[in-house]
Amino acid sequence: YFPETHGITFRIQIIVKELLDTDVLLKLLFHLPVNYPSTLPDISVNSDQLTRAQCTDVKDKLREQAKKHLSEPMVHDLILWIQQHLKDVIRQSATVCNEKPTLSKGASTEDGIWMLLLHLDHMRAKAKYVKTVEKWTSDLRLTGRLMFMGKIILILLQGDRSNIKEYLILQKTSKVDVDSSGKKCKEKMISVLCETKVQSQHKRFQTFEVKEYSTLDDLQKEFETAGLTTLFSEFVPPLLK
């Protein structure tokens, strides 16, 4: 990890409980230079549950904290601090949306921002359904559009791949609508049109919005603005047949 040969390096794995409804396993690597603690340690942060950008944010915040402890042993304090503040660091990380995730070499394809396009057959309890979708996208920090055009209902989402997967589980397992007799029911008529990694030519949505379009042209413009013309022409026109 670190080019220095002097000093000591040690790894610590800590589990932070119930963060974003899942336990986060943080793998921390501290390299203590020979003149530690009067020199700051080098820190590396990895976690399968966080994106690369979030790991970088955690590392930056740990370095900021380390500066406050300069010249006193600090590793233990840093570990306690990140256990208490990981939630806040990640929350801030989500609001400062990095335009495009820079994938460093060797980063897995799981990292970065993903996009999902869903087609819903109908919404009987529309107001409640829309509210539910808005809550899920907010909880999972997903951006995009819920789009209505005539009878077509599309959900276009962007966000961390794990959160997109989580959204799909919620969409398929929660009682989001009502059946013809008014009983709550799960969504059975949903199709995943496309699930892909956001490419550099795609624009990032900064918010999640619910929109109605009066014509196919208007709907197409929404896709074009987001750099998703190909996605539109491949998946949307067939729905009109």
Side-chain angles (χ1 to χ4, degrees):
Y1 280 78
F2 303 114
E4 296 85 352
T5 46
H6 305 299
I8 54 167
T9 299
F10 56 92
R11 297 160 193 274
I12 295 173
Q13 296 201 7
I14 54 169
I15 289 180
V16 183
K17 285 285 185 195
E18 288 169 17
L19 187 72
L20 320 170
D21 303 326
T22 170
D23 293 350
V24 172
L25 177 66
L26 271 189
K27 300 168 194 167
L28 305 173
L29 195 66
F30 292 92
H31 174 86
L32 310 186
V34 178
N35 43 1
Y36 168 86
S38 47
T39 306
L40 292 178
D42 272 313
I43 304 168
S44 160
V45 178
N46 277 295
S47 172
D48 295 338
Q49 289 80 30
L50 302 182
T51 62
R52 188 140 306 228
Q54 287 170 330
C55 287
T56 305
D57 285 339
V58 170
K59 183 175 90 172
D60 293 345
K61 286 285 186 288
L62 280 171
R63 282 191 66 79
E64 277 172 35
Q65 286 304 310
K67 285 173 189 160
K68 297 177 187 172
H69 293 283
L70 199 55
S71 78
E72 55 185 81
M74 64 187 81
V75 173
H76 182 64
D77 290 328
L78 294 179
I79 290 165
L80 290 178
W81 185 87
I82 198 60
Q83 278 178 303
Q84 288 161 359
H85 295 89
L86 185 60
K87 231 175 202 159
D88 304 329
V89 173
I90 288 171
R91 208 172 278 135
Q92 284 172 349
S93 160
T95 49
V96 187
C97 234
N98 305 331
E99 268 305 286
K100 296 189 189 79
T102 47
L103 279 180
S104 60
K105 287 183 182 62
S108 76
T109 49
E110 290 289 321
D111 284 350
I113 302 299
W114 280 69
M115 180 163 58
L116 179 69
L117 181 62
L118 298 174
H119 174 238
L120 297 183
D121 187 68
H122 61 270
M123 280 185 185
R124 282 201 178 89
K126 184 173 172 182
K128 177 182 172 288
Y129 204 131
V130 168
K131 207 165 237 156
T132 306
V133 170
E134 286 179 319
K135 182 181 186 313
W136 289 340
T137 53
S138 161
D139 290 350
L140 293 167
R141 303 191 309 281
L142 300 173
T143 60
R145 300 282 182 268
L146 168 51
M147 304 180 272
F148 295 95
M149 201 287 294
K151 291 203 161 135
I152 292 179
I153 306 168
L154 296 170
I155 300 178
L156 179 61
L157 298 173
Q158 291 179 343
D160 290 348
R161 190 173 193 188
S162 56
N163 291 0
I164 291 238
K165 283 190 186 316
E166 184 68 27
Y167 178 90
L168 263 177
I169 293 167
L170 285 169
Q171 180 82 57
K172 288 174 178 171
T173 57
S174 310
K175 292 189 173 176
V176 280
D177 207 358
V178 295
D179 61 19
S180 51
S181 61
K183 277 205 195 98
K184 288 184 176 176
C185 66
K186 292 178 185 172
E187 178 58 77
K188 295 190 180 72
M189 309 281 284
I190 184 170
S191 40
V192 177
L193 299 179
C194 175
E195 188 178 352
T196 179
K197 202 164 190 314
V198 170
Q199 306 300 328
S200 53
Q201 71 271 23
H202 302 152
K203 304 271 190 311
R204 289 290 311 282
F205 291 112
Q206 297 303 317
T207 55
F208 181 80
E209 290 173 39
V210 180
K211 288 189 159 187
E212 307 246 357
Y213 306 87
S214 46
T215 66
L216 192 63
D217 278 354
D218 292 344
L219 183 60
Q220 186 166 355
K221 280 194 190 94
E222 181 76 79
F223 277 81
E224 282 171 0
T225 312
L228 300 171
T229 313
T230 331
L231 190 70
F232 176 86
S233 50
E234 198 171 325
F235 296 107
V236 182
L239 300 173
L240 293 165
K241 288 177 181 145

